[in-house]
Amino acid sequence: MRLLSRPHQLPVRIAVGAYILNSGLGKRSAGPEAAEGLHGMAAGTYPFLKDIEPVRFVRLLSTAEIALGAALLVPVVPSLLAGAALTAFAGGLVGLYLRTPGMREEGSLRPSQQGIGIAKDVWLLGIGAGLVMEELARD
């Protein structure tokens, strides 16, 4: 496993890392109402999250996003590791999109108006999988 990311991976790692880091930092200041909304949506799709208090859930989510964003931004974090973490995180987001009622048009994978904001996260899944595949193919 390479310790430094490849130079051509840096633009995508910087773009995605900054995006996710910003999202995590934004959630740090989420109030109780925002926490209820985020937690309710996540717990509706992933029932095991129901037992976590909403403010704690958002704090944990924020921390995870900050850590993932930082891992992508720091070029000494191997792309295989950063890509695997991004793939897992994005897989959860895509699962949220696929399993939450009202996110997709009836009988289709096409997003509804409500689902556009989450459907776009499929690009994160593609980027994470691409980083992993490139590192596995080269080692």
Side-chain angles (χ1 to χ4, degrees), residues 14-35:
I14 290 169
V16 174
Y19 180 86
I20 293 174
L21 178 63
N22 182 62
S23 178
L25 291 171
K27 286 180 180 70
R28 274 287 186 231
S29 60
E33 284 184 21

Side-chain angles (χ1 to χ4, degrees), residues 30 41-42 47 108 113 134:
M41 185 175 186
S108 173
Q113 239 358 79
E134 178 180 13

Side-chain angles (χ1 to χ4, degrees), residues 4-134:
L4 292 174
S5 61
R6 301 172 200 281
H8 70 274
Q9 295 171 337
L10 290 176
V12 74
R13 285 184 62 160
I14 290 169
V16 174
Y19 180 86
I20 293 174
L21 178 63
N22 182 62
S23 178
L25 291 171
K27 286 180 180 70
R28 274 287 186 231
S29 60
E33 284 184 21
E36 287 282 338
L38 283 168
H39 179 259
M41 185 175 186
T45 301
Y46 298 112
F48 67 90
L49 296 173
K50 287 183 181 173
D51 294 335
I52 301 174
E53 191 266 326
V55 172
R56 183 168 190 269
F57 168 77
V58 171
R59 195 175 323 115
L60 292 169
L61 178 60
S62 170
T63 301
E65 287 181 340
I66 290 168
L68 177 57
L72 286 160
L73 287 169
V74 177
V76 296
V77 175
S79 290
L80 180 61
L81 180 62
L86 178 59
T87 301
F89 179 74
L93 294 173
V94 171
L96 191 68
Y97 169 71
L98 293 172
R99 296 175 62 192
T100 302
M103 293 286 166
R104 295 179 290 123
E105 292 181 4
E106 191 69 33
S108 173
L109 288 176
R110 294 181 60 203
S112 65
Q113 239 358 79
Q114 180 184 355
I116 288 175
I118 294 177
K120 62 152 181 55
D121 292 334
V122 72
W123 63 273
L124 295 173
L125 184 62
I127 291 169
L131 289 170
V132 169
M133 290 170 50
E134 178 180 13

